[in-house]
Amino acid sequence: MCGIVGLFLKDKTLEPQLGALLSEMLITLTDRGPDSAGIAIYNSSASNQGKITIQSPSPETDFAGLEKELGAHLGKPVKIQIKSTHAVVDVATAELESARAAIVELRPNVRIMGIGEAIEIYKEVGLPADVADRFGLSGMAGTHAIGHTRMATESAVTTLGAHPFSTGPDQCLVHNGSLSNHSNIRRELIQKGMKFETENDTEVAAAYVSSKMADGLNLGQALESTLDDLDGFFNFVVGTKNGFGVVRDPISCKPAVMAETDQYVAFGSEYRALANLPGIEQARVWEPEPSTVYFWEH
Amino acid sequence: MHATNSALAVSPNLGSAPRVFDLAVTPLRELNQALHSNRQGSNETQWEVLNPKGGHAISAGVDTPISVDIRGSVGYYCAGMNQEATITVHGSAGPGVAENMMSGEVIIKGNASQYAGATGRGGLLVIEGDASSRCGISMKGIDIVVRGNVGHMSAFMAQSGHLVVLGDAGDALGDSIYEAKLFVRGSVKSLGADCIAKEMRPEHIAKLQELLDRAGITDAKPEEFTRYGSARSLYNFNIDNAAAY
């Protein structure tokens, strides 16, 4: 099963409520995915400012003193905001790569969840309501966000097996469905030098999209090529710094519904997830077509 | 039936006044239990459901000649297995609306998601917007009228009944169809295995006019439609057709 929600705001006055709106949408889809939940939320910091979301299985030890050590390593002060098992490291955009490398060196057990100028990714095992609470999702502001509730089928219920998966700077992907040729694709991607952390099929899809983009395709083209190369059932929702996109496999048996008003574009695995959005009664509500890439951008 | 829910306080059993269930305050199970407990010949013939908010299986399994108006959009399996009732969704419907309907009428004012009217054995399903994929899959006698378009694989393995589409049909219409009759006014993206366009004979014009009338559609003429049905070449296995399976 699994549930996907997405909310892309057109109306800036809704931005302070983004986390609260998404949180409600996410929790509504608990029965589609009670195993784990995750969100990617986009909130651009000041210009030339970037952020890295990190996660640790033992945050007390890994995050302790990291701010100071990382600052010393980079030769300038950094700010780290700890949110439960995750933390967001604020650094200048120019320092993102060196900061990422330094974090991996200083704290080998820390995982990089997301990196970019706007993206923050949080995911954990547990009920969506508990995951949302743990990270304070309802208090978060932003321009757009994607959420996922997971009912695991292809790999273990772990933090790293939860969605979203990062596909590159400011990019992420969530998935409802199951891929049947992920082992073959994983093998090919490993040969190309890509690294995998889980046995999860969605991680393969995310890596596939990253690899296509590294080959020079844009996101839209990379999503188009999933239709040729990935076998199985999928609804993918992807996030980028400025927008979000949706693609469904040609059979499209996994549910998807979208709603658009002057204030937002919203995605839900089911209409229930959209039912409490402001002005939903007047929204244009439709089902995305199979084999069609949709994209909204600011 | 006992007055155990708050909805009854709002709408006492006056016969003509609708019995109102507000799903914002009344659990869905109470609504469906009340619908299932309704007896043939009951005076409670008008029912109204408020705040459906995409809930699942709303008004599924109704088996008395009542009228249910659902004010908003519904989730999975609304009006499934319907017998005799007239159920109107004043919004859109999720997957499997009117699945396995036996008789009666289901009207969707908005769009319907995948497999609307699947396996339906009788009655009339009217979708005033679009229906998505697999509309009327394995239909067995139901009549379906869609004012908009239908998605891919509609009428897959359709056995009997009628599917009327005023708009366009997606890929693989009528794949492996048996004896259901399909009428499409717009374009068909592609036909499925063993589905072909067929001549509109007078009896088809008459039947289509009757279906349009029953669906309350006055702005379409039967002559504007093309009929599709089975070429009957896959009914029995023929080694020359192996590639088509």
Side-chain angles (χ1 to χ4, degrees):
Chain A
M1 241 192 195
C2 298
I4 299 178
V5 294
L7 188 57
F8 171 84
L9 299 179
K10 300 185 200 171
D11 180 352
K12 283 193 172 304
T13 63
L14 283 179
E15 288 181 6
Q17 296 173 52
L18 178 69
L21 292 169
L22 194 87
S23 177
E24 190 177 351
M25 293 167 77
L26 190 76
I27 292 164
T28 304
L29 293 189
T30 296
D31 52 11
R32 292 195 68 88
D35 294 340
S36 55
I39 55 145
I41 188 158
Y42 290 83
N43 191 1
S44 289
S45 23
S47 60
N48 301 324
Q49 269 299 307
K51 45 192 169 187
I52 303 173
T53 314
I54 57 177
Q55 175 269 346
S56 167
S58 40
E60 308 79 17
T61 47
D62 274 336
F63 297 161
L66 181 60
E67 198 170 65
K68 216 170 177 184
E69 286 175 58
L70 188 59
H73 204 281
L74 295 174
K76 51 187 76 170
V78 296
K79 223 180 86 202
I80 298 183
Q81 213 187 337
I82 296 168
K83 291 181 184 174
S84 181
T85 53
H86 289 46
V88 179
V89 183
D90 285 319
V91 288
T93 312
E95 307 278 349
L96 275 174
E97 262 318 302
S98 45
R100 193 190 61 78
I103 293 165
V104 173
E105 193 188 320
L106 291 167
R107 296 288 189 274
N109 291 328
V110 159
R111 297 284 178 28
I112 308 291
M113 293 279 116
I115 187 164
E117 291 181 351
I119 195 171
E120 291 172 26
I121 293 180
Y122 303 92
K123 57 189 191 183
E124 264 306 345
V125 296
L127 288 172
D130 297 337
V131 175
D133 252 7
R134 173 192 274 254
F135 298 117
L137 172 59
S138 59
M140 292 183 194
T143 50
H144 53 297
I146 293 168
H148 186 271
T149 63
R150 179 169 187 232
M151 188 178 283
T153 54
E154 300 293 306
S155 64
V157 177
T158 60
T159 305
L160 295 180
H163 305 212
F165 287 90
S166 170
T167 54
D170 279 318
Q171 284 169 12
C172 70
L173 176 142
V174 298
H175 173 209
N176 177 16
S178 56
L179 302 178
S180 40
N181 64 341
H182 66 97
S183 294
N184 281 347
I185 303 261
R186 183 187 286 110
R187 203 174 303 122
E188 287 165 22
L189 291 172
I190 287 171
Q191 281 165 6
K192 287 180 76 177
M194 302 203 72
K195 292 194 165 45
F196 291 87
E197 307 233 38
T198 70
E199 291 299 306
N200 187 283
D201 57 336
T202 308
E203 187 185 12
V204 174
Y208 172 88
V209 169
S210 304
S211 152
K212 286 286 168 192
M213 292 177 72
D215 291 345
L217 300 192
N218 66 30
L219 182 65
Q221 292 165 328
L223 290 177
E224 290 273 0
S225 61
T226 63
L227 295 166
D228 297 326
D229 292 340
L230 300 186
D231 186 19
F233 300 120
F234 55 85
N235 281 348
F236 292 133
V237 176
V238 298
T240 69
K241 190 184 169 199
N242 299 317
F244 92 122
V246 172
V247 65
R248 304 177 78 194
D249 71 77
I251 303 292
S252 287
C253 66
K254 294 296 172 189
V257 59
M258 302 211 57
E260 184 165 15
T261 71
D262 291 342
Q263 290 187 295
Y264 57 80
V265 180
F267 179 98
S269 292
E270 297 179 29
Y271 178 81
R272 279 187 304 154
L274 314 178
N276 288 327
L277 286 173
I280 190 69
E281 296 79 12
Q282 282 75 47
R284 182 170 83 92
V285 174
W286 81 102
E287 192 168 309
E289 296 274 331
S291 308
T292 306
V293 175
Y294 292 81
F295 212 79
W296 287 266
E297 222 165 10
H298 279 120
Chain B
M1 208 177 313
H2 302 287
T4 54
N5 67 60
S6 54
L8 282 178
V10 183
S11 55
N13 183 2
L14 298 175
S16 59
R19 213 174 144 179
V20 181
F21 282 77
D22 183 349
L23 295 183
V25 292
T26 307
L28 173 59
R29 275 170 195 259
E30 245 174 69
L31 163 70
N32 280 348
Q33 191 56 58
L35 286 164
H36 298 165
S37 306
N38 194 48
R39 295 279 166 255
Q40 288 286 349
S42 159
N43 285 334
E44 295 186 319
T45 56
Q46 302 292 319
W47 298 60
E48 193 171 13
V49 180
L50 307 179
N51 291 307
K53 290 188 183 288
H56 296 175
I58 293 174
S59 302
V62 180
D63 60 356
T64 49
I66 60 172
S67 154
V68 184
D69 282 282
I70 303 168
R71 308 280 174 195
S73 292
V74 294
Y76 281 81
Y77 308 125
C78 176
M81 303 171 284
N82 185 53
Q83 291 190 65
E84 301 190 46
T86 298
I87 297 176
T88 308
V89 177
H90 299 268
S92 290
V97 66
E99 187 171 72
N100 212 65
M101 174 153 74
M102 303 300 285
S103 62
E105 211 170 300
V106 175
I107 301 138
I108 312 300
K109 293 289 183 185
N111 301 322
S113 183
Q114 54 183 330
Y115 48 93
T119 73
R121 290 179 171 269
L124 176 68
L125 168 63
V126 179
I127 296 160
E128 297 195 353
D130 297 325
S132 82
S133 59
R134 294 171 276 272
C135 180
I137 183 172
S138 197
M139 54 195 279
K140 300 172 173 71
I142 190 176
D143 294 322
I144 305 175
V145 179
V146 182
R147 189 174 254 292
N149 305 325
V150 296
H152 62 278
M153 298 298 282
S154 286
F156 175 52
M157 296 187 80
Q159 289 148 55
S160 63
H162 302 85
L163 172 64
V164 180
V165 182
L166 274 71
D168 303 329
D171 273 320
L173 176 72
D175 192 284
S176 307
I177 188 173
Y178 293 87
E179 290 303 304
K181 295 182 177 67
L182 318 179
F183 300 101
V184 182
R185 186 164 71 156
S187 65
V188 173
K189 201 167 174 193
S190 66
L191 289 172
D194 212 32
C195 184
I196 54 169
K198 292 184 159 183
E199 179 197 358
M200 282 284 260
R201 295 198 298 268
E203 67 265 32
H204 303 124
I205 299 277
K207 181 68 193 179
L208 180 50
Q209 185 63 61
E210 177 210 316
L211 290 167
L212 292 169
D213 289 346
R214 280 170 62 203
I217 290 170
T218 54
D219 57 349
K221 292 188 182 65
E223 293 79 10
E224 297 163 358
F225 290 75
T226 304
R227 177 169 72 104
Y228 299 90
S230 177
R232 301 180 180 123
S233 61
L234 297 180
Y235 274 25
N236 300 300
F237 182 72
N238 178 332
I239 191 66
D240 295 334
N241 294 334
Y245 285 90

